[in-house]
Amino acid sequence: MTQRLVDRDRIAGEIRAQARARGLGASLCPSEVARALAPSGWRDLMEAVRGVADDLADQGEITVTQRGKRVRAGTARGPIRLGLRARE
């Protein structure tokens, strides 16, 4: 159970780090976060990564998109992207 070994703070930190490394206007796949944290058990982390992505989006830190439109990571079906949110 890889998910239990990686806490939400570590997941949030990895999402932030990867989003900042990409920069504004670029995005990343949630699986990249999961793979960075658990290379051999990354699939087990996907639900947690999506949940943390929703939390960060709710806090205004990132955006979660699917085909260019904002979505909820926890309920979107299919591929999504995570990216830095532009400050308004």
Side-chain angles (χ1 to χ4, degrees):
M1 290 290 188
T2 305
Q3 187 171 350
R4 291 184 187 154
L5 300 177
V6 180
D7 67 25
R8 294 178 70 81
D9 289 338
R10 262 187 82 202
I11 294 170
E14 186 65 27
I15 291 171
R16 287 182 187 109
Q18 288 194 30
R20 287 182 187 129
R22 300 284 168 95
L24 197 58
S27 64
L28 61 120
C29 179
S31 67
E32 295 175 72
V33 174
R35 288 172 200 262
L37 295 170
S40 62
W42 65 271
R43 283 184 176 89
D44 294 337
L45 280 183
M46 288 302 295
E47 184 178 341
V49 170
R50 283 178 170 243
V52 173
D54 274 336
D55 292 344
L56 293 175
D58 290 344
Q59 295 167 20
E61 293 189 51
I62 66 167
T63 57
V64 179
T65 59
Q66 186 174 51
R67 291 182 221 122
K69 297 180 182 176
R70 285 189 185 181
V71 296
R72 298 286 301 166
T75 56
R77 297 270 223 200
I80 59 171
R81 304 293 293 178
L82 312 178
L84 288 178
R85 183 172 180 180
R87 298 292 174 207
E88 297 161 5

